[in-house]
Amino acid sequence: MFRIRTLTDAAAPANKRAIAEIQTIIRDRFPGMDERDIEKLPEQIADPMTHQFVTKVMVAEDGRGRIRGFATLLVDPGLSFGYLELIATRGKGVGGGVGAAIYAQIREKAREKKLLGLYFECLPDDPALSPDAQIRKQNADRLRFYEGFSAYPITGTKYETPVEPGTSDSPYLVFDGLGQHSLPKAAVIRKIMRAILERKYAHLCPPEYVEKVVRSVDDKSVALRLPRYHVAGATVPAPAAEQKFPLVINDKHDIHHIHERGYVEAPVRIKSILRELTPMNLFTVTEPRHFPDRHIKAVHDARLVEYVERACAEAPAGRSVYPYVFPVRNANRMPKDRLVLAGYWCIDTFTPLNRNAYPAARRAVDCALTAADEVLNGATAAYALIRPPGHHAERKAFGGFCYFNNAAIAAHYLSRYGRVAVLDLDYHHGNGTQDIFYDRGDVLTLSIHGDPSFAYPYFTGFRDETGVGEGAGANLNIPLPETITADDHRKALQKAFKRIVEHRPAYLVVALGLDTAKGDPTGTWPYRAADFSIMGEMLTELQLPSLFVQEGGYRIRSLGVNARHFFDGFAKGIKNSGVTFEHRHLKKPTGNGTLQWRYSVKPGDIKEIRKIVTDTGVFSGEEIAIAGELAEERISKGRLSGYEFILALQNQHLVGYACFGKTPGTEKNYDLYWLAVDPSRHRSGLGVQILEKVEAAIRNLGGTFVMAETSSTATYDKARGFYEANGFEKLVEIRDFYRPGDNNIFYRKALSPDI
């Protein structure tokens, strides 16, 4: 058995290993291939602008993660075609249908991306072009294979003309219409051939050769070769039917049934959702698979996991035990009685331990991981319909009806294959998810929730909780008032979307709380069914493979209807979507590489910060030293330093940065200490982009004003012009502040309110 998945992030641990295996396969199967072309594979994935194609790498891997085969597909979004660069399996005798399965998946992905056809090269089976009978037989076998998918060589052009006269086995260009499209007109084929020859083979094909091939294409002669090995259309796999989403249901949820009055987290929640989803014909029910405990212990303290399991097993039959003694005074001295010890591991008094809590919670984890696997296997989205919920469970604590953090466990699992964003839509802050990823930069956590001044869990969810260390800037809390409109919530969603796009994740995990509904006993917000439909459709704007993990939602009368409308909106958005997330990044080129943002400072940044400040040619030696010292202080003290940093990187090198912090003694004022851009990026708009990031961060921290100060000398004319052009007002000028004739000018900018 094997699964096929797409590598979306070349830097992810599992993908690094996969790429290394792919490169080994290439060296084995294509011994004549230039080593530089083999080594550039990670760059192709990461940097579509430089390579002028979006590179999609699909791998077939067995249960141990060993790569059995792969394919690289180069996508041109503008011309809407795909070029199959390579497809190969490991060694001899281990194909087992792997190649056919990969190619079938490539075709399906091409259809999903609305491509108008696949193109690729195959060596010729014509004796005039391939005189060696043994090589010609191998070529014929490949063409026979592709004919089984109704893919045929394009005839009537000079594409197979050798670049060097007298050589043999110059390839055909083959076209696969994906069972939907005919060979395009000559004008389009000319553009596609030019794109392939100039971008892929510029080092081999001189301009005069490219022109000769392109000019040879005309509507009178260009055609597809007639079938030679199969009856036309006899074995073509039919296009996939309307896609359905995997639905993984916790089949053990109903054993966890607390009968105490007022306990709203009840089995009827799942039943009410299923009752509405089943008639939609939108889901395929997938049986949950068992996963080892190591996935839970990767995000939870192993002692917590073991405690919950043992305490539940030892609980009195038919009874629930609630935490009632908490280690406020002496957390280091733990009682021996496991039931008394509940207060050590729990954050509240209403999350019970009983004999059924652990089996139900453990099965919920299996469901979330099964759904995550379905996303890895290529599903556009998957839904883990589970209880008990999980987003309140922290690394070392359970609570809020939650025992294990299902969404966080799944997010960590996915993070081995690419960057992840976790968007929590529950009415209550996802304190557990925040706690688990607070010092990690690869998993972005976002939560839109009731302000902790009135909403559970009360002690977390504030705007200024933005992450620490590697996770600085990778946690976004958007607390909203007790009374809002649906439009207010949608504005908050758009703010979260902007941050998600900046993070450039490969996967989205949605902690799907439906307790934002009007009349929910645990919330105060006004969402109705139509609003949930809009929310679901909005999420498709992100164009990310998505895992939905059920969290809250306790108004049984409307819960199922709201879930149905949410997924109906999501499906509608998928159906109406015509452009992919990867394509959208091509619309904003940023030099020779994609611009990336970081909100934490690393030791290696200090040298680059000093270099940028030095290269501007404006600052004194003392000022340059101070710039480095602020970065050092941020590294050593974290947010206690009072300094926040935003760094712009391109091709892993710093090209600009800003340093800012709260003005001492004020409530809502922030000082902009530094904003510097590499001279090579001057006049590129990067300075404005950095300033926009700073302003957004200050708003998120509750700030309303940005303060800046600079010199009055001619050297700083550009700095003053920058501030004045970007909405800063001059407040005061202190004469002879720095030295005689060198005044200090204070600027201020009022930030427009943002939800």
Side-chain angles (χ1 to χ4, degrees), residues 292-577:
D293 282 354
R294 69 172 182 272
H295 296 293
I296 307 176
K297 293 176 181 178
V299 304
H300 287 298
D301 189 311
R303 296 173 301 163
L304 168 66
V305 179
E306 291 159 4
Y307 169 75
V308 172
E309 180 178 11
R310 292 179 182 178
C312 288
E314 295 173 5
R319 286 180 50 208
S320 291
V321 176
Y322 292 85
Y324 65 96
V325 179
F326 296 87
V328 176
R329 292 184 177 84
N330 194 350
N332 294 321
R333 298 293 184 93
M334 298 169 61
K336 294 181 179 180
D337 188 320
R338 284 202 181 90
L339 299 183
V340 174
L341 191 57
Y344 183 87
W345 295 108
C346 189
I347 64 174
D348 57 41
T349 60
F350 56 80
T351 304
L353 295 169
N354 57 56
R355 293 190 180 182
N356 291 326
Y358 174 80
R362 184 62 182 78
R363 190 61 163 174
V365 170
D366 285 338
C367 293
L369 289 171
T370 300
D373 245 354
E374 292 299 314
V375 172
L376 287 176
N377 289 342
T380 301
Y383 178 26
L385 178 54
I386 54 178
R387 55 172 295 274
H391 71 144
H392 292 307
E394 300 178 353
R395 180 175 293 278
K396 295 183 178 181
F398 68 95
F401 306 143
C402 305
Y403 301 92
F404 303 131
N405 197 316
N406 308 299
I409 294 166
H412 174 76
Y413 181 74
L414 290 170
S415 72
R416 296 172 56 231
Y417 304 95
R419 292 164 71 83
V420 179
V422 183
L423 176 60
D424 195 318
L425 299 177
D426 196 275
Y427 178 83
H428 307 92
H429 176 240
N431 59 291
T433 313
Q434 171 177 302
D435 173 70
I436 287 166
F437 296 114
Y438 205 58
D439 60 354
R440 285 177 57 173
D442 60 325
V443 178
L444 173 70
T445 50
L446 313 97
S447 180
I448 303 171
H449 53 268
D451 193 283
S453 63
F454 63 84
Y456 184 90
Y458 304 110
F459 296 100
T460 64
F462 299 96
R463 289 181 185 271
D464 61 358
E465 296 168 351
T466 58
V468 295
E470 292 293 317
N475 185 78
L476 175 62
N477 287 327
I478 308 179
L480 300 180
E482 196 165 2
T483 301
I484 65 169
T485 66
D487 280 340
D488 292 333
H489 193 269
R490 286 191 275 272
K491 289 177 183 176
L493 268 176
Q494 290 292 354
K495 179 177 180 179
F497 289 176
K498 289 179 182 178
R499 182 66 185 92
I500 291 171
V501 171
E502 290 171 4
H503 185 65
R504 296 179 64 84
Y507 305 101
L508 176 68
V509 176
V510 178
L512 184 59
L514 299 173
D515 45 5
T516 53
K518 183 177 178 62
D520 191 279
T522 69
T524 62
W525 289 350
Y527 257 63
R528 296 182 182 275
D531 298 312
F532 282 105
S533 180
I534 294 171
M535 181 196 291
E537 187 169 1
M538 286 177 68
L539 282 169
T540 64
E541 295 174 16
L542 294 169
Q543 295 290 336
L544 288 170
S546 300
L547 167 62
F548 298 97
V549 180
Q550 188 62 49
E551 298 291 351
Y554 306 102
R555 188 174 189 263
I556 304 305
R557 285 178 56 192
S558 62
L559 179 59
V561 173
N562 292 337
R564 170 166 57 83
H565 276 78
F566 175 86
F567 284 107
D568 184 65
F570 184 79
K572 178 182 176 183
I574 291 291
K575 186 175 182 179
N576 294 338
S577 174

Side-chain angles (χ1 to χ4, degrees), residues 9-23:
D9 181 352
N15 294 347
K16 280 184 177 180
R17 186 173 63 251
I19 288 170
E21 289 193 54
I22 289 170
Q23 291 168 328

Side-chain angles (χ1 to χ4, degrees), residues 40 45 48 115 129 197 232 244 415 451 584 592 629 646 676 678 713 715:
K40 75 180 182 182
I45 299 172
L115 298 186
L129 300 173
L197 295 174
K244 294 185 178 182
S415 72
D451 193 283
R584 196 165 42 171
N592 293 323
E629 289 168 5
I646 296 178
D678 188 292
T713 60
T715 305

